[in-house]
Amino acid sequence: MLEQIYEFLKKRPDKRHSLREVVRGLGLDKEEARAALELLVAEGKVLEPRRKLYELPKVRAEKGLKGRLQAHPAGFAFVLPEDPNLPDLYIPKGHLGGAWHGDLVRAEARPPGRDGRPWGVVVAVLERATHQVVGRLYFKKGYAWLKPDDPRLPSLKLRPEGLEGLEAGSRLSARVVFPPRGEPYGEVLAYLGQGEGPEVETEAIIAKYGLRSSFPPEVVAEAEQVARIEPEELARREDFRALRVFTIDGADAKDFDDAIHIEPLSNGNYRVGIHIADVSHYVREGGPLDREAYERATSVYLPGRVLPMLPEALSNGICSLKPGEDRLVLSVLVELTPEGKVKGYRFAEGVIRSVARLTYEDVEAFAEAKDRGEPPPDGAIPPALHPDLELLLSLTQALKQRRLEQGALDFNFTEVRVEVDPEGNLHLIPLREPRARSLIEELMLLANRTVAKHLADRKIPALFRVHEDPSQEAFARLVAALGRLGYSLPGGEPTPKALQAVLRQAEGRPEAPVVSTLLLRSLRLARYAAENLGHFGLAAEHYLHFTSPIRRYPDLVVHRVLRALLRRRATKARKEDWARRFPKMALHVSERERAAENAERELTKYYQCLWALRHRGEVYTGTVSGVTGFGVFVSLPNGVEGMVRLGALRDDQYHYHEDLLALEGLRSKRRICIGDEMEVKIEGADPAARQIDLVPTERFLEVGTGAPVAGKKPPKRGTKARRKVGSTEPKGSPPHAKARPRRVVGPPEERRGFVKPVKVRVQRIYFGAWGGEAPAEPPPVKKKRRRRKKS
C-alpha cells in the first residue's frame, strides 16, 4: 500500500493531496490509508504541511511559485497557484517577464513594499496559453497591428502577408509566434469581416475560442458511409422494440440521445430502462471521424448556430432515437423499489423503436393536470403512456429526495434558453418545466452513477466527472462570511450535507440569494479526470458522463470501455493503454468544455447588448444578482443582466462590504444586497465591450432614501450625520531629502465609488489606508512662545 500511495502522489508531483483524495483515488480504507501516509511522512518520503494534506518533498525544493497568470487590462496581473491552498501572488505592471494572460508561469515573491503587501515577478514562462488571437486591424507608424478583442492581451504587430486590400477596423484572426528572442508577432489566418454585426461577431468568437465550424470532407464521407444498420447487428442485440420506449426533450431538439421505459415487476419493484444511443458502434476509434470528434470534444450551442461534435448524418440521423425507427442503444436496466432504492442493475447492447417523442412542455402539463385532479390534455401524450408517466414522475421524485438526503446540492436557479430568430432578434425563454426536466435529470444521474460504480468497483480505467472538495482557503472564507450572516456549517466540515443544510436553513429568507452565491463561490469547477475522485456537488462517490455520446466525447469514451467489458475484451494490455492515454484526454476535453462555455456566454452577452440598445429608455423591475465595489449587477425578468454603477446611486455615498456582498450607504445606512428588487432604466449598451448600463429610477432612489437598517437608530434631527470612510489611499507628507524612498508595489485598492471629494476627520495617518476607527493619538503639547525682550 505504501508504494501504491507513493506512486499515486508522483502522478501529480506539484499538487497537494488531501487524505480524502487519496482514499477515493485508490479505493482504500480510510484508516489504513492514514496509517500508511503517516509512515511515509516518518520516512521523509512525503510531507504533511497541514493536517490531512500531503505533498512530495521536491515541491518545496522548487524555487518560486507555479501557476496561471491572470492579467488585468491596466497592465498588472496575479499568479493563481496550481496549489489551491496557496494565496494568489500580485505581479505589478512591468514585471510580467513577457508573459500573457493565461500563460503557465513561474514567479518569485519579493519583499513587501511600504504597504506591507506581498508581490512578485515572473521569472519564466512555462507554457503559452494563447496561440491564436482575434481582433481589429489598425495601422501605426507604417506597421500593421492587431488590437485583440480581449483587453487583457497586448497589441500584436502583424506580418504584411494576407493584409492586401484590408482596411483599418477589419476583424482578423492571427496566429501568434513567440520567437526565442525578440517580441512576439502575428501571422494573419483569416479575414472575418468588416464592421459590426451578429454574423461577424459569431465568426470572431468561433475563431477566438478555436471552435470548428465545418467538417473536413473525409469526415463527412466516413459518417455517410457508416450511417446504416446491418441486419446481422440487429439479430445480435437484445430486442427492446416490444416495450413502450419513448423520449422526452425540448420542443426544438433534433438529436435524441436518450430514451426511457418503465415496467412493474411481480415483487412490487420497477425495472427502469435508460437507453442511450450507441454512438461507439458507428465511430471507429482512431479514424478521421473519431479524430475530429476528439478535437471538438463537445457540441457548442451558440445563439442562432450549433456546432455539433458529429456530422449531421450521425447526430441528427442514424444515432438520433427518432420515433418509429430502429436504433442501436447501450442500455442501463435498473431495478428500483418504490422508494427509489437500487436493488440491482445490468447493461445490454440493444435495439429499440421509440413509440413517441414527448416534449418537456407536454409532460409538465400532464403533471400539473394530475396535481389538480384533472384529466391530461388531449392529444399531446398517447393514452398508453399515461400510466408510465405517472409511475416515472413519482419514482423520480423519490430518487431526488434520496439524493438530497445524501447531501447533494440543489440551488434551484432558473435556467434561460437563448434563441435568435431569422431576423437576428434575441429571445430569452426561461425553462419552466421543473417536474418534466427533473424526471429526465434523475434518470440520467442514475445511469451515470450506476456505470461509474460498476467500472470503479472493477478498477477499469475511465474518464470520470469529478468535482473536488472546496480548498481550505475557500472554506475558511465561506465559514467567515456565513458567520457574519448568522449561519454555521454543521460539524464544521465542508461536506455536501453540511452545505445542503445551510441552503435549507436560508430557504425563504431574504438572505437566501446571498447564501447561495457564497456557497457557489466556494466550490471548485467540475472537470474530467482519469482518477475517480468523486463528485462533491452531487455527494456521489462515483460519477461520470455516459448519457450524451452524441454531443460529448467523454461519454463516447465511456461507451467504448463498457462495450469492451461486456464483450470480455477488456484485456490487461487494453486497460494499461487506457490508463496511459486517459489523463491527457481528460485535460483536453476539460479545456474544450471551458472554451465552449465561454464562447456561448460571450455571444449571448453580445446579443443581450443588442437587445438593450433596442429597448433603451425602458423601465424594468429587476433583481440584484451581484454586488461589487464599483456597482451592482441587476438581472431583468428575461435574463438580461446589466450594471448599475456606483456613481448612478445618487441618493447616498455607498461603501462595499465584501463579506456581506452588500453596498451600504454612509449616511442612510441603506443596504443593497443580492436578491433585492431594483427598478432600473436601460441607459445604453456597448456590444463590443459586452456591457449594459442601467440606472436606478427616481422612484427607487426616493423610496430608499433614509431607510434605516434594522437594529440601528437613525440620527437625531438637527445633528449632522458623521461620515465614515472605509478605505482610500493617503497622500503622505513628502519624505526627508536624505530619506531612502520605499516602494509601494501592492495591488491597487478597489475604488470606493466616491464621485466627488468628501471631507473627513481622521485621528491618524499611517502607511496603509485611512481609517476613522484608528486609535486616537494623545494631543501634542503646545510649546510656549518666548517673548523677545525689547532692546
Side-chain angles (χ1 to χ4, degrees):
M1 183 185 292
L2 294 177
E3 189 64 24
Q4 187 181 9
I5 293 177
Y6 190 60
E7 290 298 322
F8 177 80
L9 298 178
K10 285 170 64 177
K11 288 181 180 178
R12 297 184 67 184
D14 55 347
K15 180 183 183 302
R16 290 182 177 179
H17 297 265
S18 67
L19 174 63
R20 189 172 184 174
E21 288 177 346
V22 175
V23 169
R24 285 183 172 180
L26 296 174
L28 303 176
D29 177 79
K30 185 176 180 180
E31 294 303 322
E32 292 178 356
R34 189 203 303 271
L37 282 164
E38 289 177 354
L39 186 57
L40 288 171
V41 171
E43 293 175 355
K45 293 183 177 180
V46 175
L47 299 176
E48 188 179 7
R50 295 184 186 177
R51 185 170 174 266
K52 298 183 181 180
L53 205 62
Y54 304 91
E55 67 181 13
L56 297 180
K58 71 174 184 179
V59 175
R60 288 191 172 183
E62 290 179 346
K63 187 178 181 182
L65 178 72
K66 186 178 178 182
R68 291 283 173 185
L69 190 80
Q70 188 176 71
H72 189 275
F76 61 88
F78 290 89
V79 173
L80 280 56
E82 289 187 334
D83 184 350
N85 297 297
L86 296 178
D88 300 343
L89 181 64
Y90 169 69
I91 310 295
K93 185 178 181 180
H95 295 272
L96 273 61
W100 284 21
H101 172 74
D103 288 350
L104 182 64
V105 301
R106 185 170 298 284
E108 292 182 359
R110 293 290 183 261
R114 189 172 58 188
D115 58 1
R117 289 176 290 182
W119 65 288
V121 298
V122 174
V123 295
V125 179
L126 306 179
E127 178 184 301
R128 292 289 184 180
T130 304
H131 302 283
Q132 183 174 328
V133 174
V134 174
R136 297 181 184 276
L137 174 68
Y138 73 97
F139 299 95
K140 181 180 179 182
K141 295 182 179 180
Y143 292 98
W145 294 79
L146 189 71
K147 182 176 179 57
D149 290 345
D150 190 340
R152 297 169 296 185
L153 299 179
S155 293
L156 187 68
K157 186 183 290 186
L158 297 175
R159 291 176 62 91
E161 292 80 8
L163 295 173
E164 297 82 2
L166 296 184
E167 299 178 358
S170 299
R171 298 293 289 278
L172 305 175
S173 66
R175 185 172 70 92
V176 185
V177 180
F178 294 96
R181 296 181 180 179
E183 294 295 321
Y185 61 88
E187 297 176 343
V188 176
L189 292 176
Y191 168 71
L192 304 177
Q194 183 76 30
E196 305 288 344
E199 297 82 6
V200 175
E201 200 63 36
T202 300
E203 291 297 332
I205 286 178
I206 289 174
K208 176 180 178 180
Y209 291 100
L211 307 179
R212 294 174 176 240
S213 58
S214 60
F215 289 97
E218 63 272 16
V219 173
V220 177
E222 183 183 354
E224 293 175 349
Q225 181 183 1
V226 301
R228 63 181 184 274
I229 302 177
E230 302 293 343
E232 55 269 22
E233 185 65 27
L234 288 177
R236 188 186 67 81
R237 291 177 172 248
E238 186 169 347
D239 196 342
F240 299 113
R241 287 177 289 186
L243 300 174
R244 292 191 299 271
V245 179
F246 58 95
T247 62
I248 304 177
D249 289 278
D252 57 345
K254 295 181 180 179
D255 54 335
F256 314 122
D257 50 13
D258 58 84
I260 57 176
H261 90 274
I262 187 170
E263 42 184 333
L265 301 178
S266 58
N267 60 1
N269 294 337
Y270 302 98
R271 180 183 293 118
V272 174
I274 302 114
H275 309 278
I276 309 301
D278 192 358
V279 179
S280 60
H281 173 78
Y282 301 99
V283 181
R284 177 175 57 88
E285 189 170 5
L289 186 57
D290 180 51
R291 291 195 298 269
E292 181 70 16
Y294 173 74
E295 290 299 327
R296 294 177 178 239
T298 181
S299 295
V300 186
Y301 299 91
L302 300 173
R305 190 167 178 183
V306 177
L307 308 178
M309 186 181 78
L310 299 172
E312 189 174 359
L314 297 181
S315 60
N316 295 348
I318 196 66
C319 292
S320 185
L321 308 182
K322 297 179 179 179
E325 299 185 22
D326 293 346
R327 289 293 184 260
L328 305 183
V329 293
L330 202 52
S331 302
V332 183
L333 305 164
V334 186
E335 182 181 345
L336 295 170
T337 67
E339 294 77 26
K341 185 177 181 180
V342 176
K343 300 298 292 183
Y345 65 87
R346 69 182 181 90
F347 307 109
E349 295 180 82
V351 55
I352 67 167
R353 184 181 296 157
S354 173
V355 300
R357 185 234 161 165
L358 308 184
T359 67
Y360 290 124
E361 293 83 352
D362 295 339
V363 176
E364 192 68 26
F366 176 89
E368 292 175 355
K370 284 296 179 183
D371 290 343
R372 295 191 300 266
E374 301 174 357
D378 294 333
I381 299 175
L385 293 181
H386 289 183
D388 295 350
L389 274 180
E390 287 189 49
L391 287 175
L392 285 169
L393 286 167
S394 174
L395 196 56
T396 52
Q397 286 301 305
L399 284 171
K400 183 174 183 178
Q401 186 60 35
R402 289 181 65 87
R403 193 166 55 84
L404 295 179
E405 288 173 357
Q406 293 171 358
L409 301 179
D410 185 20
F411 289 101
N412 293 322
F413 288 130
T414 301
E415 295 184 41
V416 177
R417 184 174 71 247
V418 180
E419 291 185 355
V420 179
D421 60 25
E423 288 75 31
N425 297 316
L426 178 71
H427 302 279
L428 295 108
I429 305 171
L431 305 181
R432 305 185 186 279
E433 304 90 18
R435 295 279 297 277
R437 293 181 183 275
S438 179
L439 186 155
I440 290 298
E441 179 183 4
E442 292 303 323
L443 293 181
M444 298 306 111
L445 289 174
L446 175 65
N448 290 338
R449 296 177 70 164
T450 302
V451 175
K453 185 178 187 306
H454 185 79
L455 298 180
D457 288 347
R458 288 154 183 78
K459 301 188 184 305
I460 305 296
L463 284 182
F464 292 93
R465 182 67 170 180
V466 303
H467 186 211
E468 295 157 289
D469 297 359
S471 67
Q472 295 293 330
E473 183 181 359
F475 175 62
R477 289 198 303 265
L478 175 64
V479 170
L482 290 176
R484 290 181 175 87
L485 294 172
Y487 293 86
S488 61
L489 287 176
E493 292 287 336
T495 63
K497 189 169 288 188
L499 298 188
Q500 183 64 30
V502 173
L503 283 174
R504 289 181 177 177
Q505 291 176 30
E507 191 173 354
R509 298 184 179 181
E511 68 273 11
V514 181
V515 173
S516 296
T517 302
L518 289 172
L519 263 61
L520 274 176
R521 286 187 175 184
S522 71
L523 301 179
R524 302 179 195 255
L525 292 175
R527 62 183 177 90
Y528 294 102
E531 304 92 10
N532 179 27
L533 304 177
H535 197 291
F536 181 86
L538 294 173
E541 187 176 356
H542 315 286
Y543 193 70
L544 50 67
H545 279 165
F546 170 80
T547 55
S548 296
I550 291 178
R551 62 184 179 90
R552 291 191 304 229
Y553 194 81
D555 303 54
L556 174 58
V557 171
V558 172
H559 274 233
R560 287 172 175 159
V561 171
L562 185 59
R563 288 178 74 229
L565 194 62
L566 293 176
R567 297 182 180 187
R568 302 183 184 278
R569 295 179 182 174
T571 61
K572 181 180 179 182
R574 179 168 287 187
K575 287 189 284 188
E576 290 176 351
D577 180 60
W578 288 337
R580 185 183 69 255
R581 292 191 295 117
F582 284 175
K584 181 180 178 181
M585 190 179 293
L587 182 63
H588 169 74
V589 294
S590 296
E591 290 175 347
R592 297 317 303 160
E593 180 188 45
R594 297 282 177 262
E597 291 174 349
N598 291 335
E600 294 169 15
R601 187 180 301 113
E602 185 172 340
L603 191 57
T604 298
K605 190 66 179 179
Y606 170 81
Y607 274 103
Q608 289 182 354
C609 292
L610 295 184
W611 177 89
L613 287 175
R614 294 172 186 152
H615 295 81
R616 187 184 303 165
E618 295 183 9
V619 174
Y620 297 88
T621 299
T623 303
V624 176
S625 55
V627 182
T628 69
F630 47 85
V632 298
F633 292 96
V634 178
S635 179
L636 304 184
N638 63 351
V640 172
E641 188 178 63
M643 165 162 277
V644 175
R645 302 188 182 277
L646 212 59
L649 298 170
R650 305 186 311 276
D651 60 314
D652 205 340
Q653 301 290 349
Y654 283 88
H655 169 66
Y656 176 50
H657 289 276
E658 183 177 4
D659 296 332
L660 300 178
L661 297 178
L663 291 176
E664 183 177 270
L666 297 176
R667 175 178 52 80
S668 65
K669 302 305 178 186
R670 178 192 190 183
R671 280 186 184 170
I672 300 176
C673 308
I674 294 177
D676 290 352
E677 282 193 351
M678 180 180 287
E679 190 178 69
V680 294
K681 181 177 70 173
I682 298 177
E683 183 77 2
D686 184 356
R690 316 290 194 256
Q691 294 178 352
I692 298 175
D693 292 323
L694 307 175
V695 293
T697 62
E698 292 297 331
R699 184 168 63 175
F700 173 82
L701 297 176
E702 291 172 1
V703 169
T705 302
V709 180
K712 294 188 178 183
K713 297 181 180 180
K716 296 180 180 180
R717 291 187 177 181
T719 61
K720 294 184 178 180
R722 185 178 180 181
R723 296 184 176 182
K724 293 184 180 180
V725 178
S727 175
T728 59
E729 282 295 325
K731 292 184 178 179
S733 55
H736 191 272
K738 295 183 179 182
R740 184 179 179 181
R742 299 179 65 189
R743 292 178 295 173
V744 180
V745 295
E749 289 280 359
E750 285 189 346
R751 294 184 61 185
R752 297 302 179 187
F754 293 113
V755 294
K756 58 183 180 180
V758 179
K759 295 181 179 180
V760 295
R761 291 183 59 189
V762 296
Q763 288 84 6
R764 186 174 63 167
I765 300 176
Y766 59 99
F767 291 123
W770 290 44
E773 302 298 331
E777 292 281 352
V781 179
K782 294 183 179 181
K783 295 182 180 181
K784 295 182 179 180
R785 295 179 62 184
R786 297 180 61 183
R787 298 179 65 181
R788 296 178 61 183
K789 294 182 180 180
K790 294 181 180 180
S791 54

